[in-house]
Each structure stands twice: as C-alpha cells, then as structure tokens.
Amino acid sequence: MPAPHEIPESLDVTVVDHPLAVARLSTMRDARTDNDAFRAALRDLTLMLIYEASRSLATERVPIHTPVARTQAIRLSAPPLLVPVLRAGLGMADQAHALIPEAQMGFVGLARDETTLLPTPYMVSLPESLAGRPVYVLDPMLATGGSMVHTIELLTARGATDVTAICALAAPEGLATLAAANLPVRVVTASVDERLNDSGYIVPGLGDAGDRQFGAV
Ligand SMILES: O=P(O)(O)OC[C@H]1O[C@H](OP(=O)(O)OP(=O)(O)O)[C@H](O)[C@@H]1O
Ligand SMILES: O=c1cc[nH]c(=O)[nH]1
Ligand SMILES: [Mg+2]
C-alpha cells in the first residue's frame, strides 16, 4: 500500500511498520471495531509511535547511588511539550504522558469544515514561549494537512523550532502540504495510505477518528 516515492524528499518521515503497530492499526481500520476497542488500539499504537519518536530526545547524566554502587544515571534534559489536537488527539494524550511523565501538555481544538476541508479553531491553550522546547503534536489523522499546518503555525509563532507530528495515518496529500509549508516538522506515522477521497477522507483509512472514539457529532 504505501509507496516510498509518495513521501516528499524534503520531509523527514518515519513510518513505524513494526508488526505490532500494523496489527493495532488494522484493528482501528476495521469498521466492526467498536468505540472502546478503537480507543484501546489507539492507546497501544500511540505507545509505539511515541517510543520511536522519542529515540532522538536529548539526555543528560546525573550522579545516583544504586543499592550497590555510585553510577551515572540518564534522564531527559528537555522533555517535549505534548499537544493533542482535539478531539481525536485526546485519545493519544494519556498514553503519551504515561511514557513521558516529565512532559507538560498544551491543547489545540480544531474542527475541520467538511465542505471546505479547512480547520476551524475553537481552542488554544499553549505556553507563551516555546523557544528551545521540542513539541510533539498528537493527532491520529493527517489528511489534507490543513489542521496540522494550522497547529504548527501556532507553535512556531511562539518560537518552536523542533516539532514532531505523531499520527496513526498520513495521506500523501497531507505530507505534500506539510513539505510545501516549509515548517520545522518531522512526521512519525504508522502508515502512509493511498490517497484522499472526494470528501477529504483518507483511503483506505479508518473513517473519522474523532467519531470512532467518541461517537458522531
Ligand atoms: O488533515 P486535515 O484534512 O485537516 O484533517 C485532519 C483532521 O481531521 C480530524 O479532526 P476533525 O476535524 O474531524 O475533528 P474531531 O477530531 O473533533 O473529529 C483529525 O483528527 C485531524 O485533526
Ligand atoms: O480520513 C479522515 C480524514 C480526516 N479526519 C479523519 O478523522 N479521518
Ligand atoms: Mg472528526
């Protein structure tokens, strides 16, 4: 399904295709999966995406005593700010925070207008300055890319220069939009799907990630 040539060369994209990640994503794709099982699969997949994304986090040494000897321990020197994009990104927030308990969290609320496919913002709760802080944006779906570009522009306006978009699924069109926007972002996803359909949904995709978790609005 994903063809490597559909990933823009100028964009740093990691596709986490570990068998356990692909299996959880398959559960999410299956239309028979109910809301509860969908949320559980997204939590599991988030664990794997965050684990891979966080390989490059900066660390520092601190002296500690084990019960046996003195040694140098390792801790994160600059934990990321986690930013779930409501609603659908909320289903990734707790799991990401469990893996990186030192992290702080900000929130962005966006709803895509299903006619224009443009994001309508309804909430922003972010620290005023993000200079020097890595930021992980949590949103299961990167479709046209409009919501992600809007979110990253909110972050860069506050000084962020190191943003990671953590998505269950990405469409080639969304990756192309991100690359063209020339923002300081890399993408970690479990799949680059085939395309968008005429309604702006990812194909084969998994449907509306917000509705699949919380019910239709
Ligand atoms: O790449 P785009 O074309 O902008 O689409 C992606 C956006 O669509 C979904 O949210 P939605 O607007 O459906 O809101 P919801 O999470 O409340 O369902 C998804 O969670 C992204 O935020
Ligand atoms: O396929 C899609 C596209 C946008 N938002 C979703 O939740 N799903
Ligand atoms: Mg939705």
Side-chain angles (χ1 to χ4, degrees):
M1 185 169 50
H5 65 267
E6 289 174 307
I7 299 177
E9 256 179 43
S10 61
L11 193 63
D12 179 353
V13 179
T14 301
V15 179
V16 180
D17 56 0
H18 188 289
L20 297 180
V22 174
R24 290 312 187 284
L25 184 55
S26 297
T27 299
M28 292 167 63
R29 289 187 191 280
D30 192 330
R32 296 168 302 181
T33 300
D34 66 17
N35 296 163
D36 183 43
F38 186 98
R39 291 193 302 269
L42 178 58
R43 280 195 301 273
D44 289 348
L45 181 59
T46 300
L47 185 153
M48 296 180 244
L49 295 175
I50 293 284
Y51 183 79
E52 284 300 328
S54 56
R55 277 182 192 282
S56 53
L57 282 177
T59 58
E60 63 189 3
R61 289 172 179 274
V62 283
I64 59 160
H65 289 89
T66 75
V68 179
R70 290 177 184 213
T71 189
Q72 295 286 321
I74 303 287
R75 69 177 178 200
L76 300 182
S77 54
L81 177 76
L82 303 173
V83 180
V85 179
L86 278 54
R87 286 178 304 162
L90 270 184
M92 305 170 77
D94 277 355
Q95 185 65 272
H97 218 178
L99 272 184
I100 313 179
E102 308 90 336
Q104 292 188 353
M105 202 174 287
F107 300 88
V108 171
L110 297 177
R112 194 172 72 152
D113 180 313
E114 294 303 339
T115 309
T116 63
L117 301 184
L118 296 174
T120 307
Y122 58 84
M123 194 188 78
V124 178
S125 175
L126 293 169
E128 242 167 60
S129 172
L130 295 174
R133 294 182 73 173
V135 183
Y136 286 5
V137 179
L138 310 175
D139 192 332
M141 309 303 277
L142 179 70
T144 65
S147 301
M148 188 58 74
V149 166
H150 183 90
T151 303
I152 298 169
E153 285 175 347
L154 291 172
L155 301 169
T156 54
R158 287 163 171 77
T161 55
D162 175 9
V163 180
T164 304
I166 305 203
C167 309
L169 276 185
E173 292 89 337
L175 294 177
T177 299
L178 267 192
N182 205 20
L183 292 162
V185 61
R186 69 184 173 124
V187 178
V188 177
T189 184
S191 174
V192 179
D193 271 15
E194 289 168 19
R195 61 185 170 85
L196 297 180
N197 67 16
D198 291 343
S199 308
Y201 276 80
I202 300 176
V203 178
L206 50 76
D208 185 298
D211 292 357
R212 295 289 309 272
Q213 293 178 73
F214 306 118
V217 284

